[in-house]
Amino acid sequence: MGVHSSLEGADGRLLESARCARPFESCAERAEVAGDRKTGFGDFHWTRLAPWREVLAQFFNPIDRRGFLRGIGALDVDYNAEGRGNRSAAVLLAGWLGSALGWRLRSAAAGRGGVLAANFESSERHSVEIALRPVEMAGFAAGEITGIRVDAVSDGQTCLVHALRDEADNGHVIVEGELRGRPFPRMVLPMPARADEAVLSRLLIDARSDRAYPRALQLGAEILRSTKS
């Protein structure tokens, strides 16, 4: 049964995109339906991405760092997979950041080893390169995000942020990098596992009001359509 037929007469739907047997087709169909804003979507996979979104939001929240958001030139997202695996989480995370910052997709291509590369034009008219990379890490679920890297420039100064899941203690993420040419203090932030019951509770609250998810989904689907993968 397709997404269209399963949503007839429904004003909301909860799903687990991490378990979709055909993630490309599923993402494309959900993006088309979500675009009309009449049907609320709740995605367990999206809710589990909240800690990663918070890591980036918290880092760039100080006023003196916000300029780097508009100056992002590269984003790498690593996810646990053999081959290309299920890219749903990686695509949603890239789609969330790109849609929030007004990036426009220029091109996307699938490369060796399952890597997906995409080129965007930022709202400031500079190029943004994205790479979604499958890696193999023990102790993580298939498709789970394991690390992100952001490179940015603002007023001639650089910023590098590297956030990596701790293999020894996968309940945390280690954030390191450089800001304006100097290393910033290493941070160890919680990345708690969330039971399905807790995720469901959050979804039931947010499904109708969360506008970030449809935007992230639509841009993510655009990336996948460009590579047909």
Side-chain angles (χ1 to χ4, degrees):
M1 181 182 294
V3 172
H4 286 292
S5 59
S6 66
L7 285 175
E8 289 182 3
D11 60 5
R13 187 189 186 201
L14 304 182
L15 64 138
E16 173 60 282
S17 61
R19 298 175 183 173
C20 290
R22 301 167 65 193
F24 166 60
E25 291 83 356
S26 173
C27 183
E29 289 184 347
R30 281 182 285 124
E32 184 177 348
V33 176
D36 64 16
R37 297 192 177 185
K38 295 178 182 178
T39 301
F41 271 104
D43 187 343
F44 281 73
H45 218 17
W46 168 253
T47 300
R48 292 193 183 98
L49 285 176
W52 283 108
R53 291 182 280 139
E54 289 168 6
V55 165
L56 288 175
Q58 288 176 13
F59 181 84
F60 289 107
N61 185 57
I63 293 176
D64 65 337
R65 297 181 184 177
R66 292 180 189 174
F68 288 110
L69 277 174
R70 296 293 177 186
I72 291 176
L75 169 69
D76 293 345
V77 181
D78 294 343
Y79 62 100
N80 188 39
E82 295 182 15
R84 71 181 183 183
N86 188 328
R87 296 170 171 153
S88 296
V91 163
L92 279 173
L93 187 62
W96 164 72
L97 189 60
S99 61
L101 296 176
W103 297 348
R104 296 179 60 186
L105 182 65
R106 288 172 170 168
S107 63
R112 292 183 178 179
V115 175
L116 187 156
N119 175 264
F120 289 83
E121 181 181 69
S122 76
S123 60
E124 307 297 318
R125 301 296 180 88
H126 65 259
S127 179
V128 182
E129 301 291 338
I130 287 183
L132 310 182
R133 307 176 188 276
V135 299
E136 294 185 44
M137 291 182 68
F140 295 92
E144 189 173 359
I145 302 296
T146 60
I148 54 177
R149 176 188 172 103
V150 179
D151 286 281
V153 177
S154 178
D155 294 328
Q157 297 183 315
T158 60
C159 174
L160 167 63
V161 184
H162 189 196
L164 183 68
R165 289 291 290 271
D166 187 347
E167 286 190 87
D169 178 5
N170 61 19
H172 293 83
V173 61
I174 300 170
V175 183
E176 300 177 306
E178 295 183 356
L179 185 62
R180 300 183 178 91
R182 296 182 178 181
F184 57 77
R186 183 174 186 262
M187 297 180 289
V188 180
L189 304 176
M191 187 69 67
R194 303 180 71 176
D196 285 348
E197 293 81 2
V199 176
L200 177 59
S201 177
R202 187 74 261 168
L203 285 174
L204 291 173
I205 295 172
D206 292 343
R208 293 292 295 174
S209 60
D210 186 355
R211 295 306 179 201
Y213 174 64
R215 291 193 294 266
L217 181 62
Q218 288 169 338
L219 186 54
E222 188 178 354
I223 296 170
L224 293 179
R225 279 194 295 269
S226 295
T227 62
K228 294 183 173 58
S229 60

